[in-house]
Structures are given as structure tokens and as C-alpha cells.
Coordinates of all heavy atoms in Angstrom, one line a residue:
M1 N 8.7 -19.1 22.2 CA 9.9 -18.9 22.8 C 9.8 -19.0 24.4 O 8.8 -18.6 24.9 CB 10.5 -17.5 22.5 CG 10.9 -17.4 21.0 SD 11.7 -15.8 20.8 CE 10.8 -15.3 19.3
Q2 N 10.8 -19.4 25.0 CA 10.9 -19.5 26.4 C 11.5 -18.2 27.0 O 12.2 -17.5 26.3 CB 11.7 -20.7 26.9 CG 11.3 -22.0 26.3 CD 9.9 -22.4 26.8 OE1 9.6 -22.3 28.0 NE2 9.1 -22.9 25.9
D3 N 11.1 -17.9 28.3 CA 11.7 -16.8 28.9 C 13.2 -17.0 29.3 O 13.6 -18.1 29.6 CB 11.0 -16.4 30.2 CG 9.6 -15.9 29.9 OD1 9.4 -15.3 28.9 OD2 8.7 -16.1 30.8
I4 N 13.9 -15.9 29.2 CA 15.3 -16.0 29.6 C 15.6 -14.7 30.3 O 15.0 -13.6 29.9 CB 16.3 -16.2 28.3 CG1 17.7 -16.3 28.8 CG2 16.1 -15.1 27.4 CD1 18.7 -16.8 27.6
V5 N 16.5 -14.7 31.3 CA 16.8 -13.5 32.0 C 17.9 -12.7 31.2 O 18.9 -13.3 30.9 CB 17.3 -13.8 33.4 CG1 17.8 -12.6 34.1 CG2 16.2 -14.5 34.2
I6 N 17.6 -11.5 31.0 CA 18.6 -10.6 30.3 C 19.0 -9.5 31.4 O 18.2 -8.7 31.7 CB 18.0 -9.9 29.1 CG1 17.6 -11.0 28.1 CG2 19.0 -9.0 28.4 CD1 16.9 -10.5 26.9
S7 N 20.2 -9.6 31.9 CA 20.6 -8.9 33.1 C 20.6 -7.4 32.9 O 20.3 -6.6 33.8 CB 22.0 -9.3 33.5 OG 23.0 -9.0 32.5
D8 N 20.8 -6.9 31.6 CA 20.8 -5.4 31.4 C 19.4 -5.0 31.2 O 19.1 -3.8 30.9 CB 21.7 -5.0 30.3 CG 21.4 -5.6 28.9 OD1 20.3 -6.2 28.8 OD2 22.2 -5.4 28.0
G9 N 18.4 -5.9 31.2 CA 17.0 -5.5 31.0 C 16.7 -5.1 29.6 O 15.7 -4.5 29.3
G10 N 17.5 -5.4 28.7 CA 17.4 -5.0 27.3 C 18.0 -3.6 27.2 O 18.3 -3.0 28.2
F11 N 18.2 -3.2 26.0 CA 18.9 -1.9 25.8 C 18.2 -1.1 24.7 O 17.7 -1.7 23.8 CB 20.4 -2.1 25.3 CG 21.3 -1.0 25.5 CD1 21.8 -0.7 26.7 CD2 21.5 -0.1 24.4 CE1 22.7 0.4 26.9 CE2 22.3 1.0 24.6 CZ 22.9 1.3 25.8
D12 N 18.0 0.2 24.9 CA 17.3 1.0 23.9 C 18.3 1.6 22.9 O 19.1 2.5 23.2 CB 16.6 2.1 24.7 CG 15.8 3.0 23.7 OD1 15.6 2.6 22.5 OD2 15.3 4.0 24.2
F13 N 18.2 1.1 21.7 CA 19.1 1.6 20.6 C 18.4 2.6 19.7 O 18.8 2.9 18.6 CB 19.6 0.4 19.7 CG 20.5 -0.5 20.5 CD1 20.1 -1.7 20.9 CD2 21.8 -0.1 20.8 CE1 20.9 -2.6 21.6 CE2 22.7 -0.9 21.4 CZ 22.2 -2.2 21.9
G14 N 17.3 3.2 20.3 CA 16.4 4.1 19.5 C 17.0 5.5 19.4 O 16.5 6.3 18.6
G15 N 18.0 5.9 20.2 CA 18.5 7.2 20.2 C 19.4 7.5 19.0 O 19.9 6.6 18.3
N16 N 19.5 8.8 18.7 CA 20.3 9.2 17.6 C 21.7 8.8 17.6 O 22.4 8.6 16.6 CB 20.2 10.8 17.4 CG 18.9 11.2 16.8 OD1 18.3 10.5 16.1 ND2 18.6 12.5 17.0
E17 N 22.3 8.6 18.8 CA 23.7 8.2 18.9 C 23.9 6.8 18.4 O 25.0 6.4 18.1 CB 24.2 8.3 20.4 CG 23.6 7.4 21.3 CD 22.3 7.8 22.0 OE1 21.7 8.8 21.5 OE2 21.9 7.2 23.0
W18 N 22.8 6.0 18.3 CA 22.9 4.6 17.8 C 22.6 4.5 16.3 O 22.7 3.5 15.7 CB 22.0 3.7 18.6 CG 22.6 3.6 20.0 CD1 22.1 4.2 21.1 CD2 23.6 2.8 20.4 NE1 22.8 3.8 22.2 CE2 23.8 3.0 21.8 CE3 24.5 1.9 19.8 CZ2 24.8 2.3 22.6 CZ3 25.5 1.3 20.6 CH2 25.6 1.5 21.9
K19 N 22.1 5.6 15.7 CA 21.7 5.6 14.3 C 22.9 5.2 13.4 O 24.0 5.7 13.6 CB 21.2 7.0 13.9 CG 20.4 7.0 12.6 CD 19.8 8.3 12.4 CE 18.9 8.3 11.2 NZ 18.2 9.5 11.0
G20 N 22.7 4.3 12.5 CA 23.8 3.8 11.6 C 24.7 2.8 12.2 O 25.7 2.4 11.6
T21 N 24.5 2.3 13.4 CA 25.3 1.3 14.1 C 24.8 -0.1 13.8 O 23.7 -0.3 13.5 CB 25.4 1.5 15.6 OG1 24.2 1.3 16.2 CG2 25.9 2.9 15.9
F22 N 25.7 -1.0 14.0 CA 25.4 -2.4 13.8 C 24.3 -2.9 14.9 O 23.4 -3.6 14.6 CB 26.6 -3.3 13.9 CG 26.5 -4.7 13.4 CD1 26.0 -4.9 12.1 CD2 26.8 -5.8 14.2 CE1 25.8 -6.2 11.6 CE2 26.6 -7.1 13.7 CZ 26.2 -7.3 12.4
Q23 N 24.5 -2.4 16.1 CA 23.5 -2.7 17.1 C 22.1 -2.2 16.7 O 21.1 -2.9 17.0 CB 23.9 -2.0 18.5 CG 25.1 -2.7 19.1 CD 26.4 -2.0 18.7 OE1 26.5 -1.4 17.6 NE2 27.5 -2.2 19.5
R24 N 22.0 -1.0 16.2 CA 20.7 -0.5 15.8 C 20.1 -1.3 14.6 O 18.9 -1.6 14.6 CB 20.9 1.0 15.3 CG 19.6 1.6 14.8 CD 18.7 2.0 15.9 NE 17.6 2.8 15.4 CZ 17.6 4.2 15.4 NH1 18.6 4.9 15.9 NH2 16.5 4.8 15.0
L25 N 20.9 -1.8 13.7 CA 20.5 -2.6 12.6 C 19.9 -3.9 13.2 O 18.8 -4.3 12.8 CB 21.6 -3.0 11.6 CG 21.3 -4.1 10.6 CD1 20.3 -3.6 9.6 CD2 22.6 -4.6 10.0
L26 N 20.6 -4.5 14.1 CA 20.1 -5.8 14.7 C 18.9 -5.5 15.5 O 17.9 -6.3 15.5 CB 21.2 -6.4 15.6 CG 22.5 -6.8 14.9 CD1 23.6 -7.2 15.9 CD2 22.2 -8.0 14.0
D27 N 18.9 -4.5 16.3 CA 17.7 -4.1 17.2 C 16.5 -3.9 16.3 O 15.3 -4.3 16.7 CB 18.0 -3.0 18.1 CG 16.9 -2.7 19.1 OD1 16.7 -3.7 19.9 OD2 16.3 -1.7 19.2
D28 N 16.6 -3.2 15.2 CA 15.5 -2.9 14.3 C 15.0 -4.2 13.7 O 13.9 -4.2 13.1 CB 15.9 -2.0 13.2 CG 16.1 -0.5 13.6 OD1 15.7 -0.2 14.8 OD2 16.7 0.2 12.9
N29 N 15.7 -5.3 13.7 CA 15.3 -6.6 13.1 C 15.1 -7.7 14.1 O 15.2 -8.9 13.7 CB 16.4 -6.9 12.0 CG 16.3 -6.1 10.8 OD1 15.4 -6.2 10.0 ND2 17.1 -5.1 10.7
V30 N 14.8 -7.4 15.3 CA 14.4 -8.4 16.3 C 13.2 -9.1 15.8 O 12.3 -8.5 15.2 CB 14.1 -7.7 17.7 CG1 13.4 -8.7 18.6 CG2 15.4 -7.2 18.3
G31 N 13.3 -10.5 15.9 CA 12.2 -11.3 15.3 C 12.5 -11.9 13.9 O 11.7 -12.7 13.5
K32 N 13.6 -11.4 13.3 CA 13.9 -11.9 12.0 C 14.9 -13.1 12.1 O 15.7 -13.2 13.0 CB 14.6 -10.8 11.2 CG 13.8 -9.6 11.0 CD 12.8 -9.7 9.9 CE 11.9 -8.5 9.7 NZ 12.5 -7.3 9.2
L33 N 14.7 -14.0 11.1 CA 15.6 -15.2 11.1 C 16.9 -14.9 10.5 O 17.0 -14.2 9.4 CB 14.9 -16.3 10.2 CG 15.7 -17.6 10.1 CD1 15.9 -18.3 11.4 CD2 14.9 -18.5 9.1
V34 N 18.0 -15.3 11.1 CA 19.4 -15.0 10.7 C 20.3 -16.2 10.9 O 20.0 -17.1 11.6 CB 20.0 -13.8 11.4 CG1 19.2 -12.5 11.2 CG2 20.2 -14.0 12.9
R35 N 21.4 -16.1 10.2 CA 22.5 -17.1 10.3 C 23.7 -16.2 10.7 O 24.1 -15.4 9.9 CB 22.8 -17.8 9.0 CG 23.9 -18.8 9.1 CD 24.1 -19.5 7.8 NE 25.2 -20.4 7.8 CZ 26.4 -20.2 7.5 NH1 26.8 -18.9 7.2 NH2 27.4 -21.1 7.6
A36 N 24.3 -16.5 11.9 CA 25.4 -15.7 12.4 C 26.7 -16.6 12.4 O 26.6 -17.7 12.9 CB 25.1 -15.2 13.8
E37 N 27.7 -16.1 11.9 CA 29.0 -16.8 11.8 C 30.0 -16.0 12.7 O 30.3 -14.8 12.4 CB 29.5 -16.9 10.4 CG 30.7 -17.7 10.2 CD 31.1 -17.9 8.7 OE1 30.2 -18.5 8.0 OE2 32.1 -17.5 8.3
Y38 N 30.6 -16.7 13.7 CA 31.5 -16.1 14.6 C 32.9 -16.6 14.4 O 33.1 -17.8 14.1 CB 31.1 -16.3 16.0 CG 29.9 -15.6 16.4 CD1 28.6 -16.2 16.3 CD2 29.9 -14.3 17.0 CE1 27.4 -15.6 16.6 CE2 28.7 -13.7 17.3 CZ 27.5 -14.3 17.2 OH 26.4 -13.7 17.5
E39 N 34.0 -15.8 14.6 CA 35.3 -16.3 14.7 C 35.5 -17.2 15.9 O 34.8 -16.9 16.9 CB 36.3 -15.1 14.8 CG 36.4 -14.2 13.6 CD 37.4 -13.1 13.8 OE1 38.2 -13.2 14.7 OE2 37.2 -12.1 13.1
S40 N 36.3 -18.2 15.8 CA 36.6 -19.0 16.9 C 38.1 -19.3 17.0 O 38.8 -19.1 16.0 CB 35.8 -20.4 16.9 OG 36.3 -21.1 15.8
G41 N 38.5 -19.7 18.2 CA 40.0 -19.9 18.3 C 40.5 -21.1 17.5 O 41.7 -21.2 17.2
S42 N 39.6 -22.0 17.1 CA 40.0 -23.2 16.4 C 40.3 -23.0 14.9 O 40.8 -23.8 14.2 CB 39.0 -24.3 16.6 OG 37.8 -24.0 15.9
G43 N 39.9 -21.8 14.4 CA 40.0 -21.5 13.0 C 38.7 -21.7 12.2 O 38.4 -21.0 11.3
A44 N 38.0 -22.8 12.6 CA 36.7 -23.0 11.9 C 35.7 -22.1 12.6 O 35.6 -22.0 13.8 CB 36.3 -24.5 12.1
P45 N 34.8 -21.4 11.8 CA 33.8 -20.5 12.4 C 32.8 -21.3 13.2 O 32.5 -22.4 12.9 CB 33.2 -19.8 11.2 CG 33.4 -20.7 10.1 CD 34.7 -21.5 10.4
T46 N 32.2 -20.6 14.2 CA 31.1 -21.1 14.9 C 29.8 -20.5 14.3 O 29.8 -19.3 14.1 CB 31.1 -20.7 16.4 OG1 32.3 -21.3 16.9 CG2 30.0 -21.2 17.2
V47 N 28.8 -21.3 13.9 CA 27.7 -20.8 13.2 C 26.4 -21.1 14.1 O 26.2 -22.2 14.6 CB 27.5 -21.5 11.8 CG1 26.2 -21.1 11.2 CG2 28.7 -21.2 11.0
F48 N 25.6 -20.1 14.2 CA 24.3 -20.2 14.9 C 23.2 -19.7 13.9 O 23.5 -18.8 13.2 CB 24.2 -19.3 16.1 CG 25.2 -19.7 17.2 CD1 26.1 -18.8 17.7 CD2 25.2 -20.9 17.8 CE1 27.0 -19.1 18.7 CE2 26.1 -21.3 18.8 CZ 27.0 -20.3 19.2
Q49 N 22.1 -20.3 14.0 CA 20.9 -19.9 13.2 C 19.8 -19.8 14.1 O 19.5 -20.6 14.9 CB 20.6 -20.8 12.0 CG 19.5 -20.3 11.1 CD 19.4 -21.2 9.8 OE1 20.4 -21.4 9.2 NE2 18.2 -21.6 9.5
G50 N 19.0 -18.7 13.9 CA 17.8 -18.5 14.8 C 17.2 -17.1 14.6 O 17.6 -16.4 13.7
V51 N 16.2 -16.9 15.4 CA 15.5 -15.6 15.3 C 16.2 -14.7 16.3 O 16.5 -15.1 17.4 CB 14.0 -15.8 15.7 CG1 13.3 -14.5 15.9 CG2 13.3 -16.7 14.7
I52 N 16.4 -13.4 15.9 CA 17.0 -12.5 16.8 C 16.0 -12.2 17.9 O 14.9 -11.8 17.7 CB 17.3 -11.1 16.1 CG1 18.3 -11.3 14.9 CG2 17.8 -10.1 17.1 CD1 18.6 -10.1 14.1
Y53 N 16.5 -12.6 19.1 CA 15.6 -12.5 20.3 C 16.0 -11.2 21.1 O 15.1 -10.5 21.6 CB 15.9 -13.7 21.2 CG 15.0 -13.7 22.4 CD1 13.7 -14.2 22.3 CD2 15.4 -13.4 23.7 CE1 12.8 -14.2 23.4 CE2 14.6 -13.4 24.8 CZ 13.3 -13.8 24.7 OH 12.5 -13.9 25.7
A54 N 17.3 -10.9 21.3 CA 17.7 -9.7 22.0 C 19.0 -9.2 21.5 O 19.8 -10.0 21.0 CB 17.7 -10.0 23.5
V55 N 19.3 -7.9 21.7 CA 20.6 -7.3 21.3 C 21.1 -6.5 22.4 O 20.3 -5.7 23.0 CB 20.4 -6.4 20.0 CG1 21.7 -5.8 19.6 CG2 19.8 -7.2 18.9
G56 N 22.3 -6.7 22.8 CA 22.9 -5.8 23.8 C 24.1 -5.0 23.2 O 24.3 -5.1 22.0
K57 N 24.7 -4.2 24.0 CA 25.8 -3.4 23.4 C 26.9 -4.3 22.8 O 27.6 -3.9 21.9 CB 26.4 -2.5 24.5 CG 25.6 -1.3 24.8 CD 26.3 -0.3 25.7 CE 26.1 -0.7 27.1 NZ 26.7 0.3 28.0
D58 N 27.1 -5.5 23.4 CA 28.2 -6.4 23.0 C 27.8 -7.8 22.6 O 28.6 -8.6 22.3 CB 29.2 -6.5 24.2 CG 29.8 -5.2 24.6 OD1 30.1 -4.4 23.7 OD2 30.0 -5.0 25.8
Y59 N 26.5 -8.1 22.6 CA 26.1 -9.4 22.3 C 24.8 -9.5 21.4 O 24.1 -8.5 21.3 CB 25.8 -10.2 23.5 CG 24.6 -9.8 24.3 CD1 23.3 -10.3 24.0 CD2 24.7 -8.8 25.3 CE1 22.2 -9.8 24.7 CE2 23.6 -8.4 26.0 CZ 22.3 -8.9 25.7 OH 21.2 -8.4 26.3
L60 N 24.6 -10.6 20.8 CA 23.5 -11.0 20.0 C 22.9 -12.3 20.5 O 23.7 -13.2 20.7 CB 23.8 -11.1 18.5 CG 22.8 -11.6 17.5 CD1 21.6 -10.7 17.5 CD2 23.4 -11.9 16.2
L61 N 21.6 -12.3 20.8 CA 21.0 -13.5 21.4 C 20.0 -14.0 20.4 O 19.1 -13.3 19.9 CB 20.3 -13.2 22.7 CG 19.6 -14.3 23.4 CD1 20.6 -15.4 23.9 CD2 18.8 -13.8 24.6
L62 N 20.1 -15.3 19.9 CA 19.2 -15.9 19.0 C 18.4 -17.0 19.6 O 18.9 -17.7 20.5 CB 20.0 -16.5 17.8 CG 21.0 -15.6 17.0 CD1 21.7 -16.3 16.0 CD2 20.2 -14.4 16.4
W63 N 17.2 -17.2 19.1 CA 16.3 -18.3 19.5 C 16.2 -19.3 18.4 O 15.8 -18.9 17.3 CB 14.9 -17.8 19.9 CG 13.9 -18.8 20.1 CD1 12.8 -19.0 19.3 CD2 13.8 -19.8 21.1 NE1 12.1 -20.1 19.8 CE2 12.7 -20.6 20.9 CE3 14.6 -20.1 22.3 CZ2 12.3 -21.6 21.7 CZ3 14.2 -21.1 23.1 CH2 13.1 -21.9 22.8
D64 N 16.5 -20.5 18.7 CA 16.4 -21.6 17.7 C 15.1 -22.4 18.0 O 15.2 -23.2 19.0 CB 17.6 -22.5 17.7 CG 17.6 -23.6 16.6 OD1 16.5 -23.9 16.2 OD2 18.7 -24.0 16.3
E65 N 14.1 -22.2 17.3 CA 12.8 -22.9 17.6 C 12.9 -24.4 17.5 O 12.3 -25.1 18.3 CB 11.7 -22.3 16.6 CG 10.3 -22.9 16.8 CD 9.7 -22.7 18.2 OE1 9.9 -21.6 18.7 OE2 9.0 -23.5 18.7
A66 N 13.6 -24.9 16.4 CA 13.7 -26.3 16.2 C 14.3 -27.0 17.4 O 13.9 -28.1 17.8 CB 14.4 -26.6 14.9
R67 N 15.4 -26.4 17.9 CA 16.1 -27.0 19.0 C 15.7 -26.5 20.4 O 16.1 -27.0 21.4 CB 17.6 -26.7 18.9 CG 18.2 -27.4 17.7 CD 19.7 -27.2 17.7 NE 20.2 -28.1 16.6 CZ 21.1 -27.6 15.7 NH1 21.5 -26.4 15.7 NH2 21.5 -28.4 14.8
K68 N 14.8 -25.5 20.4 CA 14.3 -24.9 21.7 C 15.5 -24.4 22.5 O 15.6 -24.7 23.7 CB 13.5 -25.9 22.5 CG 12.3 -26.4 21.7 CD 11.2 -25.4 21.5 CE 10.0 -26.1 21.0 NZ 9.4 -25.4 19.8
T69 N 16.5 -23.7 21.9 CA 17.7 -23.3 22.6 C 17.9 -21.8 22.2 O 17.5 -21.3 21.1 CB 18.9 -24.1 22.2 OG1 19.1 -24.0 20.8 CG2 18.8 -25.5 22.6
Y70 N 18.7 -21.1 23.1 CA 19.2 -19.8 22.8 C 20.7 -19.9 22.5 O 21.3 -20.8 23.1 CB 19.0 -18.9 24.0 CG 17.6 -18.6 24.4 CD1 16.9 -19.4 25.4 CD2 16.9 -17.5 23.8 CE1 15.6 -19.1 25.7 CE2 15.6 -17.2 24.2 CZ 15.0 -18.0 25.1 OH 13.7 -17.7 25.4
S71 N 21.1 -19.1 21.6 CA 22.6 -19.0 21.3 C 23.0 -17.6 21.3 O 22.2 -16.7 21.0 CB 22.8 -19.6 19.9 OG 22.4 -20.9 19.7
T72 N 24.2 -17.4 21.8 CA 24.7 -16.0 21.9 C 26.1 -15.9 21.5 O 26.8 -16.9 21.5 CB 24.5 -15.4 23.3 OG1 24.8 -14.0 23.3 CG2 25.4 -16.2 24.3
G73 N 26.5 -14.7 21.1 CA 27.9 -14.5 20.6 C 28.2 -13.1 20.8 O 27.4 -12.2 20.9
N74 N 29.5 -12.8 20.9 CA 30.0 -11.5 21.1 C 30.0 -10.7 19.8 O 30.5 -11.3 18.8 CB 31.5 -11.6 21.7 CG 32.1 -10.3 22.0 OD1 32.0 -9.4 21.2 ND2 32.9 -10.3 23.0
L75 N 29.5 -9.5 19.7 CA 29.5 -8.8 18.5 C 30.9 -8.5 17.9 O 31.0 -8.4 16.7 CB 28.7 -7.5 18.6 CG 27.2 -7.6 18.8 CD1 26.6 -6.2 19.0 CD2 26.6 -8.4 17.7
Q76 N 31.9 -8.5 18.7 CA 33.2 -8.2 18.2 C 33.8 -9.4 17.4 O 34.6 -9.3 16.6 CB 34.2 -7.9 19.4 CG 33.9 -6.6 20.0 CD 34.8 -6.4 21.2 OE1 35.5 -7.3 21.7 NE2 34.8 -5.1 21.7
N77 N 33.3 -10.6 17.7 CA 33.7 -11.8 17.0 C 32.8 -12.2 15.8 O 33.0 -13.2 15.2 CB 33.8 -13.0 18.0 CG 35.0 -12.8 18.9 OD1 35.9 -12.0 18.7 ND2 34.9 -13.4 20.1
L78 N 31.7 -11.4 15.6 CA 30.8 -11.7 14.5 C 31.5 -11.4 13.2 O 31.9 -10.3 12.9 CB 29.5 -10.9 14.7 CG 28.4 -11.2 13.7 CD1 27.9 -12.6 13.9 CD2 27.3 -10.2 14.0
R79 N 31.6 -12.5 12.3 CA 32.2 -12.3 11.0 C 31.2 -12.0 9.9 O 31.5 -11.2 9.0 CB 32.9 -13.6 10.6 CG 34.2 -13.8 11.4 CD 35.0 -15.0 11.0 NE 34.7 -15.7 9.8 CZ 35.3 -16.7 9.3 NH1 36.3 -17.2 10.0 NH2 35.0 -17.3 8.2
S80 N 30.0 -12.6 10.0 CA 29.0 -12.3 9.0 C 27.6 -12.7 9.5 O 27.5 -13.4 10.5 CB 29.3 -13.2 7.7 OG 29.0 -14.5 7.9
L81 N 26.7 -12.0 8.9 CA 25.3 -12.2 9.3 C 24.4 -12.3 8.1 O 24.5 -11.4 7.2 CB 24.8 -11.1 10.2 CG 23.5 -11.2 10.9 CD1 23.6 -12.3 12.0 CD2 23.1 -9.9 11.6
V82 N 23.6 -13.3 7.9 CA 22.7 -13.5 6.8 C 21.3 -13.3 7.3 O 20.9 -14.0 8.2 CB 22.9 -14.8 6.1 CG1 21.9 -15.0 5.0 CG2 24.4 -15.0 5.6
F83 N 20.5 -12.4 6.7 CA 19.1 -12.3 7.0 C 18.3 -13.1 6.0 O 18.5 -13.0 4.8 CB 18.7 -10.8 6.9 CG 19.2 -10.0 8.0 CD1 20.4 -9.4 8.0 CD2 18.4 -9.7 9.1 CE1 20.9 -8.6 9.0 CE2 18.9 -8.9 10.2 CZ 20.1 -8.4 10.1
Y84 N 17.4 -13.9 6.5 CA 16.5 -14.7 5.6 C 15.1 -14.0 5.5 O 14.6 -13.5 6.5 CB 16.3 -16.1 6.2 CG 17.5 -16.9 6.2 CD1 18.3 -17.1 7.3 CD2 18.0 -17.5 5.0 CE1 19.4 -17.9 7.4 CE2 19.2 -18.3 5.0 CZ 19.9 -18.4 6.2 OH 21.0 -19.2 6.2
P85 N 14.6 -14.0 4.3 CA 13.3 -13.4 4.1 C 12.2 -14.2 4.8 O 12.3 -15.4 5.0 CB 13.1 -13.4 2.6 CG 13.9 -14.5 2.1 CD 15.1 -14.6 3.0
K86 N 11.1 -13.5 5.2 CA 10.0 -14.2 5.8 C 9.3 -15.1 4.8 O 9.0 -14.7 3.7 CB 9.0 -13.2 6.4 CG 7.9 -13.7 7.2 CD 7.1 -12.7 7.8 CE 6.0 -13.3 8.6 NZ 5.2 -12.3 9.3
M87 N 9.1 -16.3 5.2 CA 8.5 -17.3 4.4 C 7.0 -17.4 4.8 O 6.6 -17.5 5.9 CB 9.1 -18.7 4.5 CG 10.6 -18.7 4.2 SD 10.9 -18.1 2.6 CE 11.3 -19.6 1.8
N88 N 6.1 -17.3 3.8 CA 4.7 -17.4 4.0 C 4.2 -18.8 3.9 O 4.6 -19.6 3.2 CB 3.9 -16.5 3.0 CG 4.2 -15.1 3.3 OD1 4.7 -14.7 4.3 ND2 4.0 -14.3 2.3

């Protein structure tokens, strides 16, 4: 993965106030492969697939190794998230 600047310096979701939240679920699974589907204004969903790289209070950042790109989306517009098992 390439370096990317994250302006909030990352966020710590380890506190009890984050227990049971979607952000905590995502943060606990940094490094896992996922497929994220977001609502879009056009009606057709926007889909990103990649490894969870970072999680903020309002965003999810994915790394796509095949394309060498980062993708991000607003957590409020996230419709579904599929976690893929680790392949050996």
C-alpha cells in the first residue's frame, strides 16, 4: 500500500462510547477485504472493493491493490458492506 495523508491522524474507536457502533466494527476489521455499496444521486449504487485502510467518524477508506488506488465514501451513504474471508 502507498502512503496517504489522513488529516485527522486516524481516530481511536477503542473507547467504550464506540462499543457496538458501525465505526468500531469497521475499525476492528482494518486490513480485511470488503465490498462497499454506496447510494448515489443517479439511482445506481457506487461500488468499491478493497482492503479497509482507515476509518474515520464519517468515512471509510479502502485500498484496491489491483488498481493501486484508494476509494472513500461517506458512512451515511453506505448501503451495504460485504466482508470476504481471508483466502490462503
Side-chain angles (χ1 to χ4, degrees):
M1 288 185 229
Q2 303 296 316
D3 290 332
I4 186 170
V5 175
I6 300 173
S7 63
D8 63 9
F11 197 84
D12 182 12
F13 294 104
N16 282 337
E17 67 274 15
W18 293 100
K19 196 172 189 176
T21 66
F22 196 54
Q23 289 91 337
R24 177 76 172 264
L25 170 70
L26 295 170
D27 190 59
D28 286 347
N29 287 283
V30 168
K32 303 278 177 70
L33 180 62
V34 298
R35 178 182 180 271
E37 186 175 298
Y38 292 90
E39 292 179 21
S40 67
S42 68
T46 301
V47 177
F48 297 120
Q49 184 168 309
V51 172
I52 299 175
Y53 185 80
V55 181
K57 286 191 273 185
D58 299 323
Y59 69 87
L60 173 63
L61 182 65
L62 303 179
W63 168 251
D64 184 336
E65 178 65 32
R67 294 186 172 130
K68 306 286 191 230
T69 59
Y70 293 95
S71 301
T72 189
N74 182 321
L75 289 180
Q76 292 177 346
N77 293 335
L78 186 61
R79 287 182 13 178
S80 69
L81 189 68
V82 175
F83 287 86
Y84 293 103
K86 186 174 182 177
M87 304 301 258
N88 295 339

